[in-house]
Amino acid sequence: MKTMFVTGATKNTGWAIARRFAAQGWNAVLSSRNATSAAEAAAKLKAEFPQVETLGVGMDPAKVEDIRAAFAEIKAKFGGLDAFVNCAADLGVGLSVLSTKPEEYDALMAANVRGPFFAVQEAVKLMKDGGSVTVISSCHALRSVPGRICYTMSKAALGGMVRSLAVELGPLGIRANAVLAGAIRTDRWDGLTPEQVQERRGRYPAGRESSPDDIAAAVAFLASDEARTVTGIEMPVDSGIGVCLLQYNKNWIQNDPYNVKYWEK
């Protein structure tokens, strides 16, 4: 039985990815910054899919020592790994070029770039018979809006990482890809009115938002044998928002310098 590991897996997209793989018969490892939450999520998944084995690990994606400890637990329980999915991230809302403090920049880059790099390093060590690496990136990797400069930089870096991983790891039978996720309906939509939901949908060429299950389906495909020649790509799953992210307004920085109105409505 194959084994996969997804970070940031206790809710929303990470949870949907874990459920998708478990439904397909994969053992699943789920991480969260909170070890109790990770253990509870793993137990919940096991109850739903008793035919698979699960493991919850506490892991701060910005701390290399946490990352290495998590993979040591995986090795002890499962012996190896077939797929790694990096989903955990710092959203970095409101960080502009003029407002961002060094410690805020460092924290975001540690979670969104440094952490995934060293997590992949550990994952690859456990992929003895080849495998798949998928990082959940964002449509912001290719398009920019105010108040997200650090987040945009971090997601653009992941594109460079998967291209390099594809080249370096190909001889080992390991493929690496990114999913450019966007327009995802998560728990952050819970406070929206029906009118606000419809207004959001009106921004998306697909006419509807993406669900966590849509992202999970893409990740499952990239980890499957059907994608055996797919490596080094950034796959958009974003309801089309990435091709027309937002209309430029030269007065935006004066009217809404931290992009609060867009991100909170």
Side-chain angles (χ1 to χ4, degrees):
M1 185 178 289
K2 291 184 176 182
T3 299
M4 64 85 66
F5 175 27
V6 55
T7 67
T10 59
K11 63 180 182 178
N12 295 326
T13 301
W15 172 247
I17 291 169
R19 287 191 70 253
R20 180 82 178 207
F21 277 81
Q24 294 180 353
W26 291 60
N27 295 326
V29 183
L30 301 79
S31 82
S32 169
R33 287 178 173 85
N34 184 297
T36 300
S37 296
E40 290 174 350
K44 180 180 177 182
L45 194 68
K46 174 67 174 176
E48 185 176 3
F49 302 101
Q51 74 277 18
V52 306
E53 294 299 320
T54 65
L55 173 66
V57 294
M59 188 188 89
D60 185 335
K63 296 181 178 179
V64 175
E65 60 270 26
D66 278 17
I67 293 168
R68 290 175 174 164
F71 279 95
E73 287 189 57
I74 295 170
K75 183 177 181 180
K77 183 175 178 67
F78 296 108
L81 194 65
D82 300 284
F84 172 64
V85 184
N86 192 93
C87 189
D90 184 330
L91 295 178
V93 175
L95 297 182
S96 73
V97 67
L98 294 178
S99 72
T100 302
K101 300 179 177 64
E103 58 269 25
E104 292 173 326
Y105 177 92
D106 290 343
L108 184 141
M109 290 298 174
N112 291 7
V113 182
R114 185 172 181 263
F117 177 87
F118 286 103
V120 169
Q121 186 181 80
E122 296 302 312
V124 167
K125 295 175 185 177
L126 299 185
M127 293 180 179
K128 303 302 182 183
D129 299 312
S132 170
V133 170
T134 306
V135 296
I136 305 303
S137 184
S138 168
C139 55
H140 290 278
L142 303 179
R143 299 288 187 273
S144 300
V145 294
R148 302 300 295 279
I149 185 170
C150 296
Y151 182 76
T152 296
M153 291 167 62
S154 71
K155 293 304 184 179
L158 293 181
M161 185 176 79
V162 298
R163 287 189 292 275
S164 296
L165 290 173
V167 173
E168 289 196 16
L169 302 179
L172 302 178
I174 299 171
R175 297 178 294 103
N177 297 289
V179 172
L180 301 182
I184 309 171
R185 184 163 189 151
T186 68
D187 57 1
R188 292 189 295 277
W189 287 53
D190 292 349
L192 299 178
T193 66
E195 292 75 19
Q196 288 172 324
V197 170
Q198 287 304 119
E199 191 276 332
R200 281 197 175 192
R201 287 174 176 162
R203 305 173 190 167
Y204 310 149
R208 54 156 292 171
E209 67 273 20
S210 301
S211 73
D213 287 335
D214 293 325
I215 309 304
V219 174
F221 164 73
L222 290 172
S224 73
D225 290 340
E226 292 179 329
R228 61 186 178 273
T229 61
V230 180
T231 191
I233 72 163
E234 295 174 278
M235 175 189 287
V237 185
D238 63 1
S239 297
I241 194 173
V243 298
C244 61
L245 197 50
L246 288 175
Q247 184 176 359
Y248 178 68
N249 178 351
K250 67 179 180 180
N251 297 317
W252 201 342
I253 194 66
Q254 285 80 28
N255 297 336
D256 189 16
Y258 303 122
N259 208 24
V260 172
K261 293 178 183 177
Y262 176 79
W263 291 106
E264 293 189 354
K265 72 178 180 179

